[in-house]
Amino acid sequence: GEGNNIREALKRAKTKRKPEGGTGFSAGFQEAEQLALSHIHDKVILVFLSDGRPGDLRSKPPPNPTTAMQTTFKRNGVTFPAAGRYIESMQKRHDDFSLQLICLYNEGVQWLKYLASRYNGIFHNPDLTLDDAAVALQSCPPGHTEGDGSDSEEEEVVEIMKVKS
């Protein structure tokens, strides 16, 4: 039927680009904390975008938001502060702090929902289904003509996924 080739290209692109091994959440929050230090009296909106589950935290979050998360993690025998310590630090320093968490793959949903609940953030899940993306691909972007040979179908799929995300 209509859009089957596009759906197949989307499946291949999603499988090919699936995250592996876990994302270092703590490093991202540490960098955000450093950037926010120079904006103590400003509103701070932290947008944390992740493609998967954390590689520096347990594989599953605590069972509910009232349960504290781990405060440290070890890598190569060295102990580092965990992500929550940086979030707490920013919340204490900034009266007007907003935490926005965006998940691109299902592996990260549990953790980002937990972090949003635990730290009064907002969880966003841009759930782009293959059907939604197929419809987006069928209506070509402005300036693009079908069959112009500029992109392979899979490259076009990846570009649409970036735009929709």
Side-chain angles (χ1 to χ4, degrees):
E2 190 101 4
N4 281 338
N5 290 342
I6 293 171
R7 282 183 192 81
E8 289 305 314
L10 282 167
K11 285 179 188 176
R12 286 191 306 275
K14 185 176 180 182
T15 301
K16 188 176 179 180
R17 287 164 179 77
K18 185 176 180 180
E20 296 177 14
T23 300
F25 280 20
S26 294
F29 286 114
Q30 179 183 22
E31 184 65 25
E33 181 190 36
Q34 291 302 310
L35 289 169
L37 282 174
S38 61
H39 299 279
I40 296 295
H41 301 293
D42 297 328
K43 178 175 184 144
V44 173
I45 300 171
L46 172 58
V47 178
F48 187 78
L49 176 69
S50 178
D51 66 351
R53 67 170 180 77
D56 51 4
L57 296 170
R58 293 181 182 97
S59 60
K60 293 188 184 219
N64 62 61
T66 59
T67 305
M69 64 183 280
Q70 69 194 72
T71 58
T72 60
F73 71 97
K74 281 191 176 187
R75 179 149 300 139
N76 298 326
V78 179
T79 301
F80 296 95
R85 303 241 325 250
Y86 297 111
I87 298 170
E88 288 170 3
S89 174
M90 287 184 279
Q91 287 178 322
K92 288 177 187 170
R93 259 194 210 106
H94 303 281
D95 293 332
D96 201 357
F97 177 80
S98 173
L99 178 62
Q100 306 291 316
L101 301 139
I102 304 170
C103 188
L104 298 179
Y105 278 87
N106 289 337
E107 288 111 357
V109 168
Q110 284 183 320
W111 261 108
L112 293 184
K113 280 184 175 179
Y114 167 81
L115 291 173
S117 295
R118 174 86 182 157
Y119 298 105
N120 294 322
I122 298 173
F123 171 74
H124 305 273
N125 191 1
D127 188 17
L128 178 63
T129 67
L130 293 180
D131 287 336
D132 293 338
V135 169
L137 283 172
Q138 286 174 346
S139 58
C140 293
H144 178 82
T145 57
E146 293 214 29
D148 68 358
S150 63
D151 288 331
S152 73
E153 192 171 70
E154 191 165 311
E155 287 171 335
E156 189 173 334
V157 166
V158 171
E159 196 60 35
I160 292 291
M161 289 174 75
K162 286 179 189 174
V163 170
K164 292 288 268 184
S165 297

